[in-house]
Amino acid sequence: MPQERTLLYTGHEFTVEHVRSHAQQGPDWSALYTLESRRIIFPAGRTVLDVRSGDGTWLADGLTAMHFDDAMVYQLRLAARAARHSMVVSQHRLPRADAAPAFFLLSPRSLYRVHSAQRQLRAGDAAADAIFSLVDELGMSRRQAPLTGAVARVKRLLAETADCEAKLSMRDVADAVSRSPFHLARSFRQQTGLSLHQYRQHLRLAAAMERLADGDRDLAGIAHDLGYCSQSHLGAVFRRDVGVTMGEARRMLASARI
């Protein structure tokens, strides 16, 4: 898969790169990849990506961090025709070794820390402690099991429509996968740890952060495009779940994209 890699930090503890993977045409699986060294891939933008390793297949989106160990063999399949931005931490000393990749859902606060750490590293500021904190946090996070059936289809639908189908109701989501809203809501929470509403909210906040990192300064326009009734509504949700105001995030993340 064609990539552009930008080195952000190198030290004894780890190496940090920004990776831009170009859009891949076609629905086919990639060739087999074998990693030379362990790495953690933090999302820094919107993506919908299938990852296959051994007998398991996982769906990774803009909330998903991935951990791959040494010599791990895997395949990728892009579900969205868009460039994928990631912050990749290599050669870290995470003590646990796994035979299969590990997938973790990041909170909006953690996603913001990914963006801000990348911005600081790009500016030449010392942000190694922030990377340490993000890596340590994954060791305490809930791992996501391979998803199948209705929950997998819903997760894909939410990821693909988070910023373009704001009026999609939860009943619409349930109807799209031929499930009752009650049973879908219960199974979704059991498998992901979040409610459908929380998951979609987090995806929208991730989309807002991506636009701020891309240099978008129109907060009212972002709120409208993501389906919020007003800028103040999005601002209140952003402040509650991310921990900073949108204005503060706009200043911090300006020119964060590489």
Side-chain angles (χ1 to χ4, degrees):
M1 185 178 298
Q3 293 181 336
E4 297 175 12
R5 310 181 75 90
T6 303
L7 181 65
L8 300 177
Y9 174 87
T10 183
H12 296 297
E13 313 91 347
F14 45 73
T15 297
V16 182
E17 296 175 291
H18 175 91
V19 177
R20 182 178 186 271
S21 301
H22 298 287
Q24 184 184 42
Q25 298 299 319
D28 298 332
W29 286 97
S30 70
L32 290 172
Y33 295 113
T34 302
L35 287 179
E36 296 180 358
S37 62
R38 63 180 54 182
R39 65 191 58 183
I40 294 174
I41 303 171
F42 291 100
R46 176 181 41 186
T47 187
V48 186
L49 177 71
D50 293 314
V51 182
R52 182 165 66 188
S53 181
D55 296 330
T57 300
W58 293 261
L59 176 68
D61 56 23
L63 304 176
T64 308
M66 300 177 278
H67 173 248
F68 296 90
D69 220 320
D70 299 324
M72 190 166 286
V73 179
Y74 65 98
Q75 290 176 282
L76 303 177
R77 181 174 62 189
L78 285 176
R81 303 289 187 268
R84 180 166 54 95
H85 293 269
S86 306
M87 186 178 75
V88 179
V89 180
S90 305
Q91 302 173 6
H92 58 90
R93 297 176 180 175
L94 201 65
R96 183 183 61 210
D98 292 296
F103 295 78
F104 307 90
L105 288 183
L106 298 183
S107 69
R109 288 175 187 255
S110 295
L111 280 172
Y112 178 71
R113 286 161 52 207
V114 170
H115 283 289
S116 60
Q118 183 171 257
R119 174 68 181 88
Q120 290 174 287
L121 289 172
R122 186 186 179 198
D125 298 333
D129 288 346
I131 304 299
F132 271 123
S133 177
L134 286 166
V135 172
D136 288 344
E137 182 179 323
L138 288 188
M140 299 180 289
S141 300
R142 170 177 173 159
R143 293 179 58 162
Q144 298 294 301
L147 294 181
T148 59
V151 172
R153 298 197 301 274
V154 165
K155 188 178 176 185
R156 185 184 305 278
L157 177 63
L158 293 179
E160 291 175 345
T161 62
D163 62 347
C164 61
E165 291 289 347
K167 296 182 180 180
L168 198 66
S169 71
M170 292 307 171
R171 179 169 291 279
D172 293 333
V173 172
D175 289 344
V177 296
S178 302
R179 294 291 187 275
S180 73
F182 172 78
H183 287 96
L184 178 62
R186 184 174 63 178
S187 58
F188 191 91
R189 183 183 286 276
Q190 287 174 342
Q191 293 191 43
T192 68
L194 295 173
S195 70
L196 282 161
H197 175 73
Q198 287 173 317
Y199 202 94
R200 183 165 64 176
Q201 190 90 280
H202 289 187
L203 285 168
R204 289 179 178 175
L205 293 175
M209 283 183 260
E210 180 183 15
R211 287 182 56 166
L212 294 174
D214 281 337
D216 192 338
R217 303 186 61 80
D218 182 7
L219 303 186
I222 294 173
H224 176 270
D225 292 345
L226 296 181
Y228 290 90
C229 61
S230 65
Q231 178 181 332
S232 61
H233 181 203
L234 172 57
V237 174
F238 197 96
R239 176 68 178 270
R240 183 194 67 206
D241 290 351
V242 180
V244 299
T245 67
M246 288 196 71
E248 290 171 325
R250 179 173 57 185
R251 290 189 292 273
M252 168 58 77
L253 302 183
S255 302
R257 181 68 77 228
I258 296 173

